[in-house]
């Protein structure tokens, strides 16, 4: 069972939050503090926070750990899924493996999968190189380079320094193991399965920041191929819920699905 924190209105809609790589259950405080009518559950994914000793073997074991934790806390009650980046990719796997289990799914800046084998091969090599660094180099040094990647280009120096401080509590080898186990290079293209889940009646929404061009392009592609709608979050880059939690919560609360 994964580490978690829960709170909110016990008889409200159930919603589980899945953070990204290097994150933790604490990442969602700006969101959960605004969701007054929900019963929320923030998990620590394997290799992170209170789940640092939970083995990260592959997507299947990670998906099973998330589902089992939800079942332990809530039984068979309907649950909304919200995932960011790696957490969004885990949420995609949960949505396609168990579409009847979830009441709705919100995907924040998650990649549905690379289309070609050579792309997956290149990405796996890329992630394994980072994993080697997380395993063997001082975490502060690796994080300094990690947050220079183009996906984080919207961060200013103060925001970058703040993230590096928060992420400095991670255990490098555990992060490395999770990064390798759930590399985008090991992920299948989930677009067809996501389209099937949507047609079966599962509500799926995609969110990304207006300053995140790579994932805006992915959002357009996902909508075109599957019909999944997307919403741009103003004043935000790759991490919408951190940059603009108020607008993020407003999207979650639209259509009375999750009343704030």
């Amino acid at each position: 069972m994964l580490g978690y924190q829960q709170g909110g209105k016990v008889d409200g809609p159930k919603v589980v939050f899945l953070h990204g790589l290097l994150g933790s259950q604490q990442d969602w405080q700006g969101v959960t503090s605004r969701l007054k009518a929900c019963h929320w559950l923030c998990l620590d994914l394997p290799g992170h926070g209170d789940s640092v000793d939970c083995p990260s073997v592959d997507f299947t074991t990670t998906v099973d750990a998330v589902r089992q934790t939800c079942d332990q806390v809530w039984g068979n009650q309907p649950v909304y899924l919200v995932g960011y980046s790696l957490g969004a990719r885990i949420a995609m796997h949960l949505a396609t493996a168990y579409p009847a289990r979830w009441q709705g799914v919100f995907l924040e800046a998650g990649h549905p999968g690379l289309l070609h084998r050579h792309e997956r091969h290149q990405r796996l090599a890329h992630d394994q190189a980072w994993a080697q660094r997380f395993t063997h180099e001082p975490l502060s040094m690796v994080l300094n380079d990690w947050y220079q990647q183009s996906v984080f280009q919207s961060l200013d120096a103060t925001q970058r320094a703040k993230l590096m401080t928060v992420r400095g509590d991670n255990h490098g080898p555990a992060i490395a193991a999770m990064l390798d186990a759930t590399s985008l290079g090991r992920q299948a293209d989930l677009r067809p399965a996501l389209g099937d889940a949507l047609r079966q009646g599962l509500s799926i929404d995609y969110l990304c920041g207006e300053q995140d061009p790579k994932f805006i392009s992915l959002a357009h592609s996902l909508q075109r191929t599957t019909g999944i709608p997307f919403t741009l979050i103003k004043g935000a880059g790759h991490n919408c819920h951190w940059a603009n939690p108020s607008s993020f919560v407003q999207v979650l609360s639209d259509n009375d699905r999750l009343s704030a």
Side-chain angles (χ1 to χ4, degrees), residues 13 15 17 31 34-38 80 82 106 205 207 245-260:
V15 53
F17 291 94
V31 173
R34 291 170 167 84
L35 283 174
K36 305 298 185 183
C38 295
Y80 288 94
V82 182
F106 296 90
D205 292 87
L207 300 82
S246 295
S247 292
F248 189 87
V249 168
Q250 185 59 53
V251 174
L252 299 188
S253 305
D254 281 349
N255 303 318
D256 296 323
R257 286 173 293 186
L258 294 174
S259 298

Side-chain angles (χ1 to χ4, degrees), residues 99-140:
R101 176 68 181 87
W102 315 108
Q103 194 161 354
V105 180
F106 296 90
L107 307 170
E108 177 191 356
H111 203 303
L114 298 168
L115 296 174
H116 305 291
R117 181 179 299 177
H118 74 274
E119 292 178 310
R120 292 191 289 273
H121 179 77
Q122 291 173 352
R123 179 54 184 258
L124 181 58
H126 172 270
D127 287 349
Q128 288 178 331
W130 276 110
Q132 284 294 310
R133 295 195 62 189
F134 276 115
T135 300
H136 299 293
E137 297 181 22
L139 187 57
S140 60

Side-chain angles (χ1 to χ4, degrees), residues 47-117:
H48 297 74
D50 292 337
S51 303
V52 66
D53 294 324
C54 180
S56 46
V57 178
D58 52 26
F59 282 108
T60 299
T61 56
T62 302
V63 164
D64 287 346
V66 172
R67 188 186 181 200
Q68 288 168 11
T69 304
C70 290
D71 290 348
Q72 287 267 3
V73 176
W74 287 321
N76 293 322
Q77 295 183 75
V79 176
Y80 288 94
L81 278 171
V82 182
Y84 160 66
S85 195
L86 170 60
R89 295 196 288 116
I90 301 302
M92 291 178 194
H93 283 80
L94 286 157
T96 55
Y98 309 104
R101 176 68 181 87
W102 315 108
Q103 194 161 354
V105 180
F106 296 90
L107 307 170
E108 177 191 356
H111 203 303
L114 298 168
L115 296 174
H116 305 291
R117 181 179 299 177

Side-chain angles (χ1 to χ4, degrees), residues 109-112 114 123 126 149-153 184 206 208-221 238:
H111 203 303
L114 298 168
R123 179 54 184 258
H126 172 270
Q149 296 181 93
S150 60
V151 72
F152 301 114
Q153 64 184 356
L184 185 60
Y206 195 92
C208 58
E210 66 173 2
Q211 301 166 8
D212 191 2
K214 174 181 177 179
F215 283 85
I216 291 174
S217 177
L218 278 170
H220 280 288
S221 172
H238 188 59

